[in-house]
Amino acid sequence: MKILFLTYQVAGIGGGYIRAFSLARQLVRNGHEVVLIASRAKPGLSKRVSVLDGVKQIEMPDLMPHRVRHGGLSPFDILFRSFWVLFSKPFDVIHMFEHRPAVMLPGLIHRWLKRGLLISDWADLWGKEGIAAERSALVERVLGRLDDYFETRSREWVDGVTAISSDLNNRLAQIGIVKAQRMILPPGANLDMIKSADPADARRKLGLPSEARIIAYSGYAPYDQQFLTQVVIALLRNDHELMV
């Protein structure tokens, strides 16, 4: 099966890219042909093509700043992706990771002109109940309103949706996406790339007590800081032996 993955984030960075690439490399292992289009990591006038773990990765020419490229909003990326899709051979499946224009427009163009199964992945809540609520600048508030509209409407234009959580899956049900057209595809891990360490040795290297109970958090987005703080405080109140 020939599959096209579209992610709006720049190559090598961001949860959306990692989610798409991780799925793509496993599909290649299962015998499928997968092309992944990601936004260009650095500005440049040439198209970059590479092969990573059997996945053909394409970065289109783009001169826009990192924030624009990484947000799926670059007119260069949108234009070159759309032309590439127009002149490429048809794909059996197109999997769009999120709804930003650099993903949505090429995916819809392929479906309208060349058919193929069009799937949308929903991993972040971008609208007024999610990331948009954290924005303050006028431009970002306008972008938040557009996200609020397209992150739901775009899921009505596809053949199926993969949601990262039960909450987003429930939101799909609320907007009328029937059960047969949606599924939960939770986050995973590339087990073949993760090397386990001996817990006792790891604690010794980090200078942590061998018997201490420890909670840890890993992330880079600030949106859940308030909730995270509340969780940590609640845990510490109930267990004074915890190390944070």
Side-chain angles (χ1 to χ4, degrees):
M1 185 176 291
K2 192 175 181 182
I3 305 170
L4 174 63
F5 275 16
L6 296 166
T7 175
Y8 68 92
Q9 294 184 328
V10 301
I13 301 177
Y17 168 83
I18 294 172
R19 180 169 167 84
F21 177 71
S22 297
L23 290 170
R25 63 190 297 270
Q26 295 301 329
L27 287 170
V28 168
R29 288 188 169 195
N30 290 337
H32 302 289
E33 179 184 348
V34 185
V35 176
L36 169 61
I37 299 182
S39 298
R40 193 178 173 89
K42 295 181 179 180
L45 292 173
S46 62
K47 182 176 71 174
R48 298 186 62 187
V49 180
S50 56
V51 178
L52 303 173
D53 284 356
V55 180
K56 183 179 180 181
Q57 181 170 288
I58 300 176
E59 302 166 53
M60 297 299 175
D62 203 335
L63 297 176
M64 297 300 290
H66 178 273
R67 187 170 185 178
V68 179
R69 300 194 316 273
H70 195 53
L73 302 171
S74 169
F76 290 100
D77 205 15
I78 296 169
L79 181 64
F80 281 113
R81 288 185 187 211
S82 298
F83 273 111
W84 187 89
V85 165
L86 280 173
F87 294 103
S88 68
K89 294 181 179 180
F91 288 87
D92 300 303
V93 179
I94 306 93
H95 203 153
M96 306 184 301
F97 288 79
E98 296 297 351
H99 63 282
R100 286 290 177 85
V103 166
M104 181 172 59
L105 291 180
L108 291 173
I109 288 172
H110 185 283
R111 187 192 188 203
W112 291 335
L113 299 181
K114 300 187 178 184
R115 305 300 178 181
L117 193 67
L118 185 61
I119 307 297
S120 177
D121 186 73
W122 196 359
D124 290 301
L125 187 60
W126 288 93
K128 61 185 179 182
E129 293 183 81
I131 297 175
E134 304 291 332
R135 296 187 170 113
S136 56
L138 177 60
V139 174
E140 293 180 336
R141 288 203 300 270
V142 173
L143 180 59
R145 291 187 178 183
L146 292 173
D147 280 329
D148 189 63
Y149 176 80
F150 283 108
E151 76 173 343
T152 52
R153 286 300 302 272
S154 64
R155 269 80 195 196
E156 300 174 357
W157 304 336
V158 300
D159 301 299
V161 185
T162 53
I164 201 171
S165 66
S166 57
D167 177 74
L168 292 179
N169 188 54
N170 292 336
R171 290 173 184 271
L172 290 170
Q174 292 171 6
I175 63 176
I177 307 300
V178 298
K179 189 174 182 179
Q181 292 179 299
R182 53 185 167 86
M183 66 170 288
I184 298 177
L185 187 61
N190 294 306
L191 297 179
D192 61 312
M193 300 176 68
I194 299 174
K195 297 182 179 179
S196 61
D198 179 70
D201 186 51
R203 286 182 180 237
R204 184 169 55 256
K205 289 181 179 179
L206 294 173
L208 299 173
S210 60
E211 301 299 326
R213 300 175 62 190
I214 301 171
I215 58 173
Y217 168 79
S218 176
Y220 61 88
Y223 307 122
D224 54 0
Q225 284 182 348
Q226 183 177 358
F227 175 70
L228 175 64
T229 302
Q230 294 171 350
V231 170
V232 171
I233 292 174
L235 287 170
L236 291 175
R237 283 174 176 171
N238 289 280
D239 193 333
H240 299 292
E241 297 180 359
L242 279 176
M243 292 186 64
V244 180

